[in-house]
Amino acid sequence: MTPVRIGLTGGIGSGKSTVLAMLQALGAAPIDADAISRATTAAGGAAIAAIRERFGPDFIAADGALDRARMREAAYARPEARRELEQIIHPLVGQEIARQVEEATRAGARCIVFDIPLLVESGRWRAQLDRVLVVDCAPETQVARVVARSALQPDEVRAIIAAQAPRALRLAAADLVVCNEGLTLDALRHEVEQAAHTFGL
C-alpha cells in the first residue's frame, strides 16, 4: 500500500512541531526536511567535501561543519553563492528523503508527514504531496509564543515572520488548516485527530 504523503507547514511559532508530534503519535512517519538539510552540512555531513571543494577550506569551521556565518556573509555579498550551495545540498537532501520514504513504506506506514518550513516558498514540493496541512494562528500569537520560548525580541520575531511566506499564501496552498489559536493542548489534539482521520490515520 502506498502511504498518503502530507506536507506540513506553518509560520514560526504556529505550533507546527507540536502538531507533527501529535501526528507521529497517531502513527504517521515523520520526515524532517530541515533536519536532513542541517545534517548534510554538519561535521562529517554528506555535503562537506563538495562545499570545501567549491568554496574553499575557509568555509569549513574548526569542528568540521559548514561555517554558517561565513556562508551567510558570502551569500549576502554574492547572491549566486546561495544557489551554488543549494545545488550541492538539495540533491543530497532529496536522496535522503527518498531513502526515508522507502524505509517508512517498507515498514508499512499508512501516512508520511513531510515537515517542510519552506513548502510554500520553494514551489518544488507540491507535486510530491497528496495534501498540504497548514498550522495557522494570528501573527501576534506567533510573536508572543516565540518571545516566550527564546531570547528573541518582538521586532526580531516580526522580521522573521516578514521573511517567511505571507500567511494568506500559506492558507491558499492548504488542503487542510489546523487553527492553533486559543486552544488547550487537548483541544489542539482533537483538531489534529480530526484532520488525521481525513487522510487515513
Side-chain angles (χ1 to χ4, degrees):
M1 187 184 81
T2 306
V4 179
R5 294 172 176 230
I6 305 297
L8 175 67
T9 196
I12 186 171
S14 62
K16 183 170 61 68
S17 300
T18 304
V19 169
L20 180 64
M22 289 174 176
L23 289 169
Q24 194 174 353
L26 292 168
I31 292 182
D32 185 337
D34 237 17
I36 291 169
S37 180
R38 282 195 304 275
T40 67
T41 60
I48 293 299
I51 291 169
R52 184 183 283 111
E53 190 177 312
R54 178 70 196 82
F55 294 96
D58 289 351
F59 283 82
I60 308 302
D63 65 356
L66 169 68
D67 186 330
R68 292 181 179 278
R70 189 177 281 266
M71 185 55 80
R72 266 196 302 275
E73 284 170 23
Y76 185 73
R78 199 171 61 89
E80 62 270 25
R82 180 193 292 273
R83 281 195 298 278
E84 289 164 6
L85 181 65
E86 286 173 352
Q87 281 164 7
I88 293 169
I89 293 173
H90 283 170
L92 296 169
V93 172
Q95 286 164 24
E96 178 57 19
I97 286 173
R99 190 194 68 74
Q100 290 190 19
V101 166
E102 196 178 316
E103 200 175 273
T105 304
R106 270 205 313 271
R110 287 175 296 161
C111 174
I112 297 174
V113 179
F114 297 84
D115 179 358
I116 311 167
L118 301 179
L119 189 154
V120 176
E121 292 91 326
S122 78
R124 65 194 177 91
W125 273 100
R126 194 59 185 92
Q128 301 174 52
L129 302 168
D130 296 311
R131 315 277 274 285
V132 171
L133 173 61
V134 171
V135 186
D136 182 61
C137 65
E140 284 312 306
T141 304
Q142 291 177 262
V143 172
R145 284 180 184 153
V146 178
V147 167
R149 74 181 190 207
S150 73
L152 294 172
Q153 295 302 307
D155 284 350
E156 292 175 297
V157 182
R158 288 190 190 96
I160 293 169
I161 292 170
Q164 294 183 331
R167 184 185 185 189
L169 204 60
R170 263 199 307 273
L171 291 172
D175 296 304
L176 283 164
V177 177
V178 168
C179 183
N180 185 18
E181 188 75 57
L183 299 180
T184 63
L185 267 181
D186 280 345
L188 177 61
R189 190 173 289 107
H190 178 71
E191 290 290 311
V192 171
E193 284 169 357
Q194 296 289 100
H197 188 65
T198 70
F199 42 77
L201 280 179

